[in-house]
Amino acid sequence: MAGNPYWESKEVRTGKGFDMARSVFYSFHYQNDISRVMAVRNRWVTYGNQVASGIIDHADFEKAQRQGDAAIKRWIDSQLSGTSATIVLIGAETLKRPYVQYEICESLKKGNAVIGVYIHRMRNLAGLTSTTCDRHTVIGYYNDGRPAYFDDVADGIYDYVNQDGYNNLDSWVEAAVRKH
């Protein structure tokens, strides 16, 4: 599938005040938002209580892309295995990306809690902020043909900057898992 690459990371965390570790899958638009995503990911390094994980880089994405759409979806499915929550880091085009839509739909099928976290107000490496996707974006279709909108299927939608994601991401995930 052509287009800008993005990818996910899988991280296991034990948050402050929580009894159990959560395995979390991140979904995002790589090319547009990787520096913002890395800031969220690195939050775990400074905040603590996180096992570091990798994020597939551009070269790895292109290698997977050459193997075809089915290979990429198998990789996504394997990364979703064992997770209890999916965090969609929302930038300008995130919810419009076919693989992000696939990840959200597969997350819902496997019973993951799904939350959206706006990252467009975070500055990238050039010091710029971004626009964001409309949360009322079609991410798939139900069996009867009705559109499934992200804001209807998400267990919560937050803003990393305005709602202090640095200190609150753990509680957002935990609340979504418990609600779900």
Side-chain angles (χ1 to χ4, degrees):
M1 200 174 249
N4 297 332
Y6 65 93
W7 220 257
E8 309 70 28
S9 69
K10 184 171 158 182
E11 302 185 9
V12 179
R13 68 152 186 82
T14 54
K16 295 179 179 178
F18 303 120
D19 325 351
M20 58 190 302
R22 295 278 177 219
S23 184
V24 176
F25 180 87
Y26 283 92
S27 182
F28 57 91
H29 184 266
Y30 186 94
Q31 188 168 357
N32 283 2
D33 297 318
I34 188 61
S35 63
R36 294 176 183 97
V37 168
M38 293 306 292
V40 172
R41 180 181 175 272
N42 289 339
R43 166 229 187 241
W44 298 112
V45 174
T46 58
Y47 193 78
N49 299 320
Q50 179 74 39
V51 175
S53 67
I55 292 180
I56 195 167
D57 68 16
H58 186 70
D60 289 336
F61 177 82
E62 287 188 356
K63 181 179 175 185
Q65 195 173 32
R66 284 191 299 273
Q67 295 173 10
D69 189 55
I72 292 171
K73 288 180 177 179
R74 278 192 305 276
W75 186 89
I76 290 168
D77 295 344
S78 73
Q79 294 301 300
L80 280 168
S81 178
T83 62
S84 58
T86 297
I87 302 173
V88 183
L89 298 174
I90 306 171
E93 298 174 17
T94 307
L95 296 175
K96 298 174 187 174
R97 306 298 299 162
Y99 289 130
V100 169
Q101 294 172 355
Y102 177 80
E103 292 158 357
I104 295 166
C105 291
E106 291 303 304
S107 294
L108 293 168
K109 285 179 192 175
K110 77 174 286 311
N112 274 18
V114 174
I115 68 169
V117 178
Y118 284 115
I119 58 171
H120 65 289
R121 288 183 174 86
M122 296 173 73
R123 297 197 180 278
N124 65 11
L125 294 176
L128 303 173
T129 59
S130 177
T131 60
T132 191
C133 279
D134 180 1
R135 64 199 282 161
H136 196 64
T137 297
V138 175
I139 51 98
Y141 293 88
Y142 294 104
N143 290 337
D144 64 4
R146 288 179 302 122
Y149 293 95
F150 182 72
D151 56 344
D152 290 336
V153 301
D155 294 299
I157 301 175
Y158 306 92
D159 186 296
Y160 194 83
V161 172
N162 288 349
Q163 293 178 282
D164 190 15
Y166 180 84
N167 288 306
N168 293 316
L169 190 57
D170 287 349
S171 61
W172 298 341
V173 170
E174 193 63 25
V177 168
R178 289 180 185 199
K179 172 185 173 185
H180 196 76

